[in-house]
Amino acid sequence: MNIPENPTNSDIRDALLQLGDKVEQLDEKFDEKFDKLDEKVERLDYKFDIYQKGRDAMVRMATTIIIAAASVLILSNLSPAISKVVTALTAN
């Protein structure tokens, strides 16, 4: 876009039209980039949701395993004492 030293009205008009065209091109490029960015964000949100659900399920499973293991450990230590109590109660 060249503007002469002493521009006429038509020179100014041409320069403004060129500027308007450039602004439209930039607007179109911005819209394309923004749409692509929006799609990427949506995909990342989906991936994060899937990751979060998987992580929550894994934590629940680990908690269940820990509780089950602790229950077995505690009950196995108590079974000799319980059998002695039952034997003592039935002997009398």
Side-chain angles (χ1 to χ4, degrees):
M1 174 168 56
N2 294 329
I3 300 176
E5 285 279 325
N6 297 318
T8 64
N9 284 342
S10 65
D11 292 335
I12 294 172
R13 181 180 180 280
D14 291 339
L16 287 174
L17 288 174
Q18 289 175 358
L19 182 61
D21 290 340
K22 290 281 187 185
V23 168
E24 282 183 31
Q25 290 172 356
L26 288 174
D27 188 43
E28 289 173 5
K29 284 183 182 178
F30 176 78
D31 286 343
E32 288 175 17
K33 294 285 185 180
F34 186 76
D35 289 341
K36 288 179 184 177
L37 182 62
D38 190 38
E39 288 175 19
K40 284 182 181 179
V41 168
E42 286 178 15
R43 280 184 276 163
L44 286 175
D45 282 345
Y46 175 74
K47 286 180 182 178
F48 180 74
D49 288 343
I50 296 300
Y51 169 79
Q52 189 70 32
K53 288 177 184 176
R55 185 177 164 268
D56 291 345
M58 183 182 65
V59 168
R60 280 194 305 269
M61 182 180 62
T63 303
T64 303
I65 291 170
I66 290 169
I67 291 171
S71 299
V72 168
L73 182 66
I74 291 170
L75 292 176
S76 68
N77 288 333
L78 288 179
S79 71
I82 291 173
S83 66
K84 287 180 183 177
V85 168
V86 169
T87 305
L89 290 175
T90 57
N92 290 335

